[in-house]
Amino acid sequence: MSDTGQTARHALALQVEDLRVSYGPKRAVDGVALEINEGEIFGLLGPNGAGKTTTLSAIEGLVRPDSGSIRIGDIDARTNPAAAKARMGVQLQSTSFQSNLTIREIVRLYAGLYGVPLTRAGIDDLLANVHLGEEASKRFSQLSGGQQKRVSLVIATIQSPPLVLLDEPTAGLDPQARRQLWDRIERLRDIGRSILLTTHSMEEAQAVCHRVAIIDNGKLITVDTPAGLIEKHKNDPRVLKVAHGQVTLEDVFIGLTGSDLRD
Amino acid sequence: MLRALLEADLTVQLRNGRALLLTFFPPLAVLYGLSTAKRGAQLGGPIVNVALALTLGIALIAILGYTASVARDRELGVFQRLRVTPAPTWTIMVSRLSVQVVSMLAMSVVVLAAAAVIEKVTLDPAAYLLTLAMVIFCSAVFLGVGQALVGLIKSVDTVNALGRLSFLPLVALGLFGHSDVFGTTFETISRWSPGGAVATLLSGAMRPVAWTADTWWALLASVLYSIIFAGIGIRWFQWSTR
């Protein structure tokens, strides 16, 4: 590989090549390739069961891929999963923590798992920063949906990872909580973090993502900026068929993935 | 990492103090029942009665308590959240198991103290230490059974139901390992069942001077049961309910 090629590789926060994952006879992810640059917010869009969460799970080390490569920065996640996990922050689609621990204790546990020395005052500061100072002694189940997502995000970024994976981070949130979370995601980007998020919200993809990819039936259909995707597919007959007036990202999404209901 | 997990798991266990205390009652009730029953002596005498009570307590914590907490946390997604951290998966399980062993030791201390009052069974310090060491060793048998149950079955309800059902062949059968009340064939089967082997081993630890060949065989049987059950539970453990 040329010097230029090597420099380009080091600028990537995440590189996935030819990823294939199966659940029994069903191929859930089929040859997915992704590259996420440092400081980029990358959105993965797809209908239910398209392979978004499975792709993330493979990157996170929760499922074993059949084949393909996953590099977190310059670390091979398949041969060195512990080092890769140390460089990743993860917010799962439905996160739960030990039900009898308080929020403060949960943060202390995860700080310990990532080797981050945090005093009680440090934990309280961290929680106060996300307006959860008053909730530090509560259990996770006692928090509202928005508060739970904030706790999850605090834990996902507790070790200041260069790459943050967010699986449907704003699902189920009210508009205020959603906007607040977008602000937090953008602040992470501003301090140089790379973010890979999955979402069903086209509004969210357009608002926060530099680039988005559409995935369906385990295959990546297209990748571009939100505006670039609209431009690229605005004359596609499948897209025009579902558009109501000016073509939107949602029209492109439905045009490319079909109108049929999924699981 | 292990320290952080241990601290968290111990905190969770202490917060469940009421449930933990409830697991102390069945072995105490069995101890009292065996000591006052007319046929109590036919099961093997005071030392065996204490061993049977300890066996029941260990099995309760492992087969009902441990499996229930693991099945519930797995369904909630607690393990998946832990697995995306750099913590090796073995530390997640070792932490959980260690806390169960601590609970078993606490239960054993209570039962041995009660035995001194109810059965007038007092041991010399070395025998107490050996008994507690054997409690740790025997915990592997029933934690292995629990691990196999919760490892192979995803549903919380099924794990709970099978945990209760498995008490009959695994624990209750062992009550008659030192009694020919149902005949010698039944006694032999009972003695080499998991519960019977553990009870033999614990009664041997309480009377080290009377440690016999049968106690060594019980030790070997316990090792084999631990390896088989834990092997199944670890090899086929399912981290998520998906």
Side-chain angles (χ1 to χ4, degrees):
Chain A
M1 186 179 280
S2 68
D3 288 343
T4 316
Q6 289 207 353
T7 308
R9 167 163 280 195
H10 285 299
L12 292 175
L14 171 69
Q15 185 177 36
V16 175
E17 287 176 346
D18 198 26
L19 185 69
R20 291 171 204 275
V21 183
S22 302
Y23 294 120
K26 183 179 163 39
R27 178 60 60 84
V29 175
D30 194 0
V32 164
L34 289 174
E35 286 187 347
I36 300 178
N37 301 308
E38 287 178 358
E40 182 180 34
I41 303 178
F42 190 98
L44 199 52
L45 307 179
N48 288 335
K52 303 184 298 293
T53 297
T54 303
T55 301
L56 251 61
S57 296
I59 298 168
E60 292 156 0
L62 289 177
V63 297
R64 190 192 296 264
D66 302 333
S67 62
S69 77
I70 301 164
R71 296 188 73 84
I72 314 295
D74 54 2
I75 294 167
D76 185 331
R78 294 194 65 189
T79 56
N80 197 353
K85 286 174 181 178
R87 292 174 61 88
M88 258 189 279
V90 174
Q91 183 178 342
L92 298 175
Q93 199 175 96
S94 56
T95 288
S96 194
F97 300 100
Q98 285 89 328
S99 54
N100 276 323
L101 293 181
T102 65
I103 303 305
R104 189 183 286 117
E105 288 163 346
I106 290 169
V107 175
R108 183 162 59 217
L109 164 64
Y110 281 87
L113 293 178
Y114 284 102
V116 178
L118 270 182
T119 61
R120 184 187 166 102
I123 293 170
D124 287 351
D125 282 349
L126 212 55
L127 291 172
N129 283 341
V130 291
H131 307 293
L132 287 171
E134 302 285 314
E135 327 298 332
S137 300
K138 287 187 179 172
R139 311 278 164 92
F140 188 71
S141 57
Q142 294 174 305
L143 304 184
S144 69
Q147 289 172 326
Q148 289 186 347
K149 294 279 185 185
R150 268 152 41 211
V151 171
S152 296
L153 197 59
V154 164
I155 287 166
T157 55
I158 203 161
Q159 84 280 30
S160 303
L163 176 67
V164 182
L165 308 177
L166 308 172
D167 197 356
E168 299 187 18
T170 56
L173 296 186
D174 63 31
Q176 286 84 355
R178 200 168 67 223
R179 291 291 169 119
Q180 280 191 10
L181 208 68
W182 289 357
D183 289 343
R184 292 187 193 288
I185 291 170
E186 285 173 337
R187 259 179 265 156
L188 287 172
R189 176 206 57 200
D190 292 343
I191 56 171
R193 308 281 177 260
S194 306
I195 295 155
L196 169 59
L197 62 86
T198 69
T199 182
H200 283 296
S201 164
M202 302 301 137
E203 184 193 2
E204 183 167 292
Q206 281 186 297
V208 301
C209 296
H210 296 112
R211 287 190 301 148
V212 295
I214 296 176
I215 185 172
D216 196 18
N217 297 316
K219 293 178 192 286
L220 224 56
I221 300 174
T222 185
V223 183
D224 209 330
T225 61
L229 277 185
I230 295 169
E231 187 59 32
K232 197 192 293 184
H233 297 283
K234 67 181 182 188
N235 295 318
D236 186 322
R238 293 171 298 171
V239 174
L240 289 172
K241 190 179 167 191
V242 296
H244 297 272
Q246 196 175 4
V247 171
T248 63
L249 184 60
E250 186 161 297
D251 296 329
V252 173
F253 176 79
I254 293 176
L256 296 183
T257 60
S259 310
D260 294 342
L261 284 177
R262 305 300 175 91
D263 296 338
Chain B
M1 289 177 191
L2 186 57
R3 187 181 163 182
L5 283 165
L6 276 170
E7 194 181 307
D9 286 336
L10 207 54
T11 305
V12 169
Q13 188 77 340
L14 290 173
R15 296 253 163 85
N16 277 333
R18 202 178 303 166
L20 183 64
L21 282 177
L22 282 174
T23 62
F24 289 7
F25 283 110
L28 290 175
V30 163
L31 183 66
Y32 181 75
L34 290 176
S35 71
T36 54
K38 282 182 182 173
R39 289 179 173 271
Q42 290 184 13
L43 291 182
I47 291 278
V48 172
N49 290 348
V50 179
L52 289 173
L54 287 174
T55 303
L56 178 69
I58 294 168
L60 266 176
I61 292 171
I63 299 179
L64 298 186
Y66 174 67
T67 56
S69 75
V70 170
R72 186 195 58 224
D73 281 354
R74 177 172 58 192
E75 186 160 270
L76 287 172
V78 172
F79 290 127
Q80 291 296 73
R81 188 63 195 81
L82 289 169
R83 284 179 68 213
V84 296
T85 69
T89 47
W90 67 264
T91 59
I92 299 169
M93 274 302 153
V94 163
S95 170
R96 292 275 170 140
L97 293 167
S98 303
V99 169
Q100 299 303 317
V101 173
V102 170
S103 303
M104 288 171 189
L105 286 173
M107 178 277 302
S108 302
V109 169
V110 171
V111 169
L112 288 171
V117 177
I118 298 169
E119 286 278 20
K120 312 292 181 215
V121 172
T122 54
L123 313 174
D124 58 60
Y128 273 121
L129 282 178
L130 184 62
T131 303
L132 291 177
M134 281 301 137
V135 165
I136 297 172
F137 182 81
C138 293
S139 70
V141 175
F142 291 119
L143 284 171
V145 170
Q147 186 74 22
L149 262 177
V150 79
L152 295 175
I153 300 160
K154 288 181 179 178
S155 155
V156 177
D157 291 337
T158 312
V159 166
N160 287 338
L162 275 179
R164 288 179 177 88
L165 276 176
S166 67
F167 248 70
L168 205 62
L170 295 175
V171 185
L173 182 62
L175 287 172
F176 304 97
H178 294 265
S179 164
D180 59 359
V181 67
F182 291 125
T184 50
T185 306
F186 191 86
E187 181 189 358
T188 306
I189 294 168
S190 173
R191 180 168 292 204
W192 302 112
S193 68
V198 165
T200 301
L201 197 51
L202 288 170
S203 57
M206 282 186 269
R207 279 179 307 194
V209 286
W211 189 284
T212 63
D214 266 3
T215 322
W216 284 113
W217 282 114
L219 182 73
L220 182 66
S222 300
V223 170
L224 289 176
Y225 282 131
S226 304
I227 291 171
I228 292 167
F229 287 122
I232 292 169
I234 291 167
R235 171 66 182 81
W236 285 286
F237 186 78
Q238 300 179 73
W239 288 97
S240 86
T241 51
R242 235 191 110 178

PDB file of all heavy atoms in Angstrom, chain A residues 146 150 173-183:
ATOM      1  N   GLY A 146     -35.947   9.675  28.580  1.00  0.00           N
ATOM      2  CA  GLY A 146     -34.902  10.627  28.191  1.00  0.00           C
ATOM      3  C   GLY A 146     -33.729  10.579  29.152  1.00  0.00           C
ATOM      4  O   GLY A 146     -32.558  10.631  28.734  1.00  0.00           O
ATOM      5  N   ARG A 150     -29.775   9.479  28.545  1.00  0.00           N
ATOM      6  CA  ARG A 150     -28.632  10.321  28.938  1.00  0.00           C
ATOM      7  C   ARG A 150     -27.629   9.528  29.769  1.00  0.00           C
ATOM      8  O   ARG A 150     -26.416   9.662  29.601  1.00  0.00           O
ATOM      9  CB  ARG A 150     -29.126  11.565  29.686  1.00  0.00           C
ATOM     10  CG  ARG A 150     -29.334  12.694  28.717  1.00  0.00           C
ATOM     11  CD  ARG A 150     -30.358  13.712  29.063  1.00  0.00           C
ATOM     12  NE  ARG A 150     -30.453  14.175  30.424  1.00  0.00           N
ATOM     13  CZ  ARG A 150     -31.625  14.556  30.948  1.00  0.00           C
ATOM     14  NH1 ARG A 150     -32.733  14.508  30.232  1.00  0.00           N
ATOM     15  NH2 ARG A 150     -31.685  15.012  32.176  1.00  0.00           N
ATOM     16  N   LEU A 173     -38.199   8.932  22.326  1.00  0.00           N
ATOM     17  CA  LEU A 173     -38.036  10.189  23.074  1.00  0.00           C
ATOM     18  C   LEU A 173     -38.993  11.256  22.554  1.00  0.00           C
ATOM     19  O   LEU A 173     -39.356  11.269  21.369  1.00  0.00           O
ATOM     20  CB  LEU A 173     -36.599  10.706  22.937  1.00  0.00           C
ATOM     21  CG  LEU A 173     -35.499   9.829  23.531  1.00  0.00           C
ATOM     22  CD1 LEU A 173     -34.157  10.551  23.433  1.00  0.00           C
ATOM     23  CD2 LEU A 173     -35.804   9.471  24.978  1.00  0.00           C
ATOM     24  N   ASP A 174     -39.375  12.193  23.442  1.00  0.00           N
ATOM     25  CA  ASP A 174     -40.213  13.306  22.995  1.00  0.00           C
ATOM     26  C   ASP A 174     -39.323  14.309  22.241  1.00  0.00           C
ATOM     27  O   ASP A 174     -38.086  14.215  22.298  1.00  0.00           O
ATOM     28  CB  ASP A 174     -40.963  13.944  24.174  1.00  0.00           C
ATOM     29  CG  ASP A 174     -40.047  14.551  25.208  1.00  0.00           C
ATOM     30  OD1 ASP A 174     -38.948  15.014  24.827  1.00  0.00           O
ATOM     31  OD2 ASP A 174     -40.405  14.570  26.389  1.00  0.00           O
ATOM     32  N   PRO A 175     -39.926  15.243  21.502  1.00  0.00           N
ATOM     33  CA  PRO A 175     -39.117  16.148  20.667  1.00  0.00           C
ATOM     34  C   PRO A 175     -38.055  16.917  21.445  1.00  0.00           C
ATOM     35  O   PRO A 175     -36.927  17.087  20.958  1.00  0.00           O
ATOM     36  CB  PRO A 175     -40.159  17.095  20.071  1.00  0.00           C
ATOM     37  CG  PRO A 175     -41.411  16.288  20.047  1.00  0.00           C
ATOM     38  CD  PRO A 175     -41.362  15.435  21.265  1.00  0.00           C
ATOM     39  N   GLN A 176     -38.391  17.356  22.665  1.00  0.00           N
ATOM     40  CA  GLN A 176     -37.398  18.101  23.450  1.00  0.00           C
ATOM     41  C   GLN A 176     -36.183  17.235  23.785  1.00  0.00           C
ATOM     42  O   GLN A 176     -35.034  17.637  23.608  1.00  0.00           O
ATOM     43  CB  GLN A 176     -38.021  18.614  24.766  1.00  0.00           C
ATOM     44  CG  GLN A 176     -38.963  19.775  24.607  1.00  0.00           C
ATOM     45  CD  GLN A 176     -40.387  19.340  24.241  1.00  0.00           C
ATOM     46  OE1 GLN A 176     -40.654  18.170  24.010  1.00  0.00           O
ATOM     47  NE2 GLN A 176     -41.292  20.315  24.172  1.00  0.00           N
ATOM     48  N   ALA A 177     -36.490  16.035  24.272  1.00  0.00           N
ATOM     49  CA  ALA A 177     -35.391  15.131  24.652  1.00  0.00           C
ATOM     50  C   ALA A 177     -34.571  14.754  23.428  1.00  0.00           C
ATOM     51  O   ALA A 177     -33.346  14.616  23.503  1.00  0.00           O
ATOM     52  CB  ALA A 177     -35.960  13.882  25.314  1.00  0.00           C
ATOM     53  N   ARG A 178     -35.270  14.597  22.285  1.00  0.00           N
ATOM     54  CA  ARG A 178     -34.562  14.227  21.060  1.00  0.00           C
ATOM     55  C   ARG A 178     -33.587  15.335  20.647  1.00  0.00           C
ATOM     56  O   ARG A 178     -32.428  15.080  20.335  1.00  0.00           O
ATOM     57  CB  ARG A 178     -35.575  13.953  19.945  1.00  0.00           C
ATOM     58  CG  ARG A 178     -34.997  13.124  18.833  1.00  0.00           C
ATOM     59  CD  ARG A 178     -36.047  12.611  17.888  1.00  0.00           C
ATOM     60  NE  ARG A 178     -36.661  13.698  17.152  1.00  0.00           N
ATOM     61  CZ  ARG A 178     -37.961  13.824  16.921  1.00  0.00           C
ATOM     62  NH1 ARG A 178     -38.781  12.929  17.397  1.00  0.00           N
ATOM     63  NH2 ARG A 178     -38.434  14.837  16.239  1.00  0.00           N
ATOM     64  N   ARG A 179     -34.090  16.590  20.687  1.00  0.00           N
ATOM     65  CA  ARG A 179     -33.225  17.713  20.308  1.00  0.00           C
ATOM     66  C   ARG A 179     -32.016  17.816  21.245  1.00  0.00           C
ATOM     67  O   ARG A 179     -30.899  18.091  20.817  1.00  0.00           O
ATOM     68  CB  ARG A 179     -34.012  19.030  20.351  1.00  0.00           C
ATOM     69  CG  ARG A 179     -35.076  19.146  19.262  1.00  0.00           C
ATOM     70  CD  ARG A 179     -34.417  19.290  17.905  1.00  0.00           C
ATOM     71  NE  ARG A 179     -35.373  19.154  16.833  1.00  0.00           N
ATOM     72  CZ  ARG A 179     -35.648  20.106  15.940  1.00  0.00           C
ATOM     73  NH1 ARG A 179     -35.009  21.261  15.989  1.00  0.00           N
ATOM     74  NH2 ARG A 179     -36.528  19.903  15.005  1.00  0.00           N
ATOM     75  N   GLN A 180     -32.264  17.606  22.540  1.00  0.00           N
ATOM     76  CA  GLN A 180     -31.152  17.673  23.503  1.00  0.00           C
ATOM     77  C   GLN A 180     -30.106  16.612  23.179  1.00  0.00           C
ATOM     78  O   GLN A 180     -28.900  16.853  23.270  1.00  0.00           O
ATOM     79  CB  GLN A 180     -31.673  17.457  24.921  1.00  0.00           C
ATOM     80  CG  GLN A 180     -32.292  18.711  25.516  1.00  0.00           C
ATOM     81  CD  GLN A 180     -32.562  18.545  27.002  1.00  0.00           C
ATOM     82  OE1 GLN A 180     -32.121  17.578  27.624  1.00  0.00           O
ATOM     83  NE2 GLN A 180     -33.285  19.506  27.575  1.00  0.00           N
ATOM     84  N   LEU A 181     -30.598  15.433  22.814  1.00  0.00           N
ATOM     85  CA  LEU A 181     -29.655  14.358  22.500  1.00  0.00           C
ATOM     86  C   LEU A 181     -28.881  14.664  21.221  1.00  0.00           C
ATOM     87  O   LEU A 181     -27.671  14.396  21.133  1.00  0.00           O
ATOM     88  CB  LEU A 181     -30.391  13.022  22.382  1.00  0.00           C
ATOM     89  CG  LEU A 181     -29.525  11.815  22.735  1.00  0.00           C
ATOM     90  CD1 LEU A 181     -29.175  11.779  24.206  1.00  0.00           C
ATOM     91  CD2 LEU A 181     -30.219  10.514  22.369  1.00  0.00           C
ATOM     92  N   TRP A 182     -29.535  15.274  20.250  1.00  0.00           N
ATOM     93  CA  TRP A 182     -28.828  15.680  19.033  1.00  0.00           C
ATOM     94  C   TRP A 182     -27.699  16.648  19.395  1.00  0.00           C
ATOM     95  O   TRP A 182     -26.593  16.554  18.855  1.00  0.00           O
ATOM     96  CB  TRP A 182     -29.775  16.392  18.054  1.00  0.00           C
ATOM     97  CG  TRP A 182     -30.774  15.494  17.402  1.00  0.00           C
ATOM     98  CD1 TRP A 182     -30.900  14.135  17.541  1.00  0.00           C
ATOM     99  CD2 TRP A 182     -31.808  15.904  16.502  1.00  0.00           C
ATOM    100  NE1 TRP A 182     -31.963  13.690  16.792  1.00  0.00           N
ATOM    101  CE2 TRP A 182     -32.533  14.739  16.134  1.00  0.00           C
ATOM    102  CE3 TRP A 182     -32.214  17.135  15.967  1.00  0.00           C
ATOM    103  CZ2 TRP A 182     -33.621  14.780  15.268  1.00  0.00           C
ATOM    104  CZ3 TRP A 182     -33.294  17.166  15.100  1.00  0.00           C
ATOM    105  CH2 TRP A 182     -33.988  15.999  14.749  1.00  0.00           C
ATOM    106  N   ASP A 183     -28.031  17.612  20.295  1.00  0.00           N
ATOM    107  CA  ASP A 183     -27.006  18.577  20.712  1.00  0.00           C
ATOM    108  C   ASP A 183     -25.809  17.854  21.319  1.00  0.00           C
ATOM    109  O   ASP A 183     -24.653  18.196  21.062  1.00  0.00           O
ATOM    110  CB  ASP A 183     -27.573  19.559  21.749  1.00  0.00           C
ATOM    111  CG  ASP A 183     -28.559  20.533  21.110  1.00  0.00           C
ATOM    112  OD1 ASP A 183     -28.544  20.642  19.862  1.00  0.00           O
ATOM    113  OD2 ASP A 183     -29.338  21.165  21.847  1.00  0.00           O
TER     114      ASP A 183
END
